[in-house]
Amino acid sequence: MAGDHSSTHDAAHGHHGPGHGSGHRHGGRWRRVRHRIAHLVTPHSHRTVDKVDAAMETSRVGMRTLWLSLGVLGATAVAQGVIVALSGSVALLGDAVHNAADALTAVPLAVAFLLGRRAADRRYTYGYGRAEDLAGIAVVVVIAVSAVPAVYGAVDRLLRPREVTHLWAVAAAAVVGCAGNEWVARYRIRTGRRIGSAALVADGLHARSDGLASLAVLLGAGGAGAGVRWADPVVGLLITVAIAMVLKDAAREVYRRLMDSVDPELVDTAERALRGVAGVLDVGRVRMRWIGHALRAEAEIVVAPHLTVVQAHSLAVAAEHALIHAVPRLTAATVHTDHPADGSDPHAVLAHHAAGRGSPG
């Protein structure tokens, strides 16, 4: 059995390899020819410094998204706050509070993106990308806490009704809030998915919930204008229900990231890529995890038993190379080489350790 192989490559090759099936040797030869041609015409690098540059670039994209959305939501919250002071609308108050809270979630996310730029060291050997997951928790907490004043104000207004004034201003503020939040939501979610940031996606969902809240405020203003005094506080309560539903989606997104969940299709893609590498006889276990907005993988491949250590190492390098081209956002992989079963189990000495930690066979 050849030794394990681990190295670091740049995720930004500029293209991704096609999917590979098992078996088809002639097709595999043609794919290798196309792959070499792509290398000639597509500039890319495997140096560690380039990987760091790519990570910093995604961080810059995230920071730009945060500051733009902070400005839009901050201005929206201030404008709505002025209208709340004039009108006394608790529905609009809840919307303004949510907008302000959503704008402030840019702070922990910005800290996380800045931390993510730091290089790995002896203590944090995988780097600081997990800071984004911690920021995601902060976003979820902010979403939950921001619902409290809205609930309190709505219940208080139901118990002690008061007329809502300046309804036209309330309606205008609601329209502005809905448009601003939806723009921020689309921008954050699109950027978060593009750079692989679950925290930024969760923050985008938060903004979308505030957009729905703004739309509900518009309905409340219409009800108040029709003389239905309870319309405004009831809408405030409905806003809180909508926030709770979005909170569930955001919490699930962050929970999955913390639990190292990945899309099963990514694992399928990785297995196809490995089987398409010349010299790989079979593929064993493939595991992936997110470190911030970058993927890392561990894979097992079966190679011919007569290969030298140098040959097996070269094959492991080729396998990692294929993985990086095939799987989006993958920056590095550890490839373990094994040989076909010959009646003995070279891993027998590890069996009791694997059983103790619940590892699959």
Side-chain angles (χ1 to χ4, degrees):
M1 177 182 69
D4 292 357
H5 169 73
S6 178
S7 65
T8 305
H9 292 294
D10 181 9
H13 287 282
H15 68 283
H16 299 299
H20 300 281
S22 61
H24 304 79
R25 296 302 174 192
H26 294 294
R29 187 179 300 112
W30 171 237
R31 280 193 296 271
R32 290 194 298 276
V33 171
R34 286 186 297 172
H35 184 71
R36 291 183 182 127
I37 294 174
H39 266 57
L40 293 175
V41 299
T42 306
H44 65 283
S45 174
H46 294 225
R47 296 177 301 162
T48 301
V49 65
D50 294 321
K51 182 186 78 72
V52 173
D53 289 344
M56 291 186 67
E57 179 57 32
T58 56
S59 176
R60 291 191 191 99
V61 171
M63 292 288 286
R64 183 166 61 248
T65 300
L66 289 176
W67 297 134
L68 282 174
S69 58
L70 173 62
V72 171
L73 292 178
T76 300
V78 170
Q80 289 183 323
V82 173
I83 303 303
V84 167
L86 293 174
S87 66
S89 170
V90 292
L92 187 59
L93 170 63
D95 193 30
V97 169
H98 288 141
N99 284 328
D102 198 16
L104 291 176
T105 57
V107 176
L109 282 171
V111 172
F113 281 127
L114 289 174
L115 278 176
R117 294 180 180 181
R118 298 178 62 178
D121 53 38
R122 298 282 290 179
R123 182 176 296 275
Y124 297 96
T125 55
Y126 281 94
Y128 293 79
R130 286 286 191 184
E132 284 187 39
D133 299 329
L134 296 178
I137 296 176
V139 170
V140 170
V141 171
V142 169
I143 296 175
V145 172
S146 66
V148 175
V151 173
Y152 176 81
V155 172
D156 179 70
R157 187 59 57 84
L158 280 173
L159 297 177
R160 291 180 288 183
R162 194 178 76 190
E163 184 180 359
V164 178
T165 61
H166 299 80
L167 291 178
W168 64 269
V170 172
V175 171
V176 170
C178 183
N181 275 288
E182 182 58 25
W183 183 87
V184 168
R186 289 173 181 265
Y187 191 28
R188 285 180 174 178
I189 292 172
R190 182 173 64 249
T191 302
R193 288 176 177 164
R194 179 158 62 92
I195 68 174
S197 173
L200 195 55
V201 171
D203 211 24
L205 291 172
H206 185 194
R208 177 153 290 164
S209 73
D210 289 347
L212 295 174
S214 297
L215 190 60
V217 170
L218 185 61
L219 298 177
V228 183
R229 301 185 66 182
W230 50 261
D232 185 68
V234 166
V235 166
L237 290 175
L238 292 176
I239 288 173
T240 306
V241 173
I243 297 303
M245 296 175 65
V246 174
L247 174 63
K248 179 193 70 174
D249 292 338
R252 181 175 58 204
E253 186 90 17
V254 173
Y255 166 79
R256 287 177 175 173
R257 183 58 60 88
L258 289 171
M259 292 297 292
D260 288 332
S261 172
V262 296
D263 185 348
E265 178 59 31
L266 292 177
V267 180
D268 295 338
T269 299
E271 290 175 343
R272 289 194 298 269
L274 290 172
R275 289 193 173 94
V277 176
V280 173
L281 305 179
D282 199 4
V283 176
R285 184 170 47 188
V286 175
R287 292 182 290 186
M288 295 183 187
R289 71 191 316 177
W290 286 97
I291 306 295
H293 45 262
L295 274 171
R296 292 185 67 95
E298 299 174 17
E300 299 171 357
I301 59 174
V302 178
V303 302
H306 59 76
L307 296 182
T308 66
V309 172
V310 173
Q311 290 171 328
H313 178 265
S314 297
L315 191 51
V317 172
E320 182 182 10
H321 195 188
L323 283 176
I324 291 177
H325 275 279
V327 180
R329 309 300 313 155
L330 183 69
T331 57
T334 299
V335 179
H336 175 87
T337 56
D338 205 348
H339 59 76
D342 57 1
S344 63
D345 183 6
H347 303 112
V349 68
L350 301 174
H352 65 286
H353 293 291
R357 61 177 179 265
S359 176

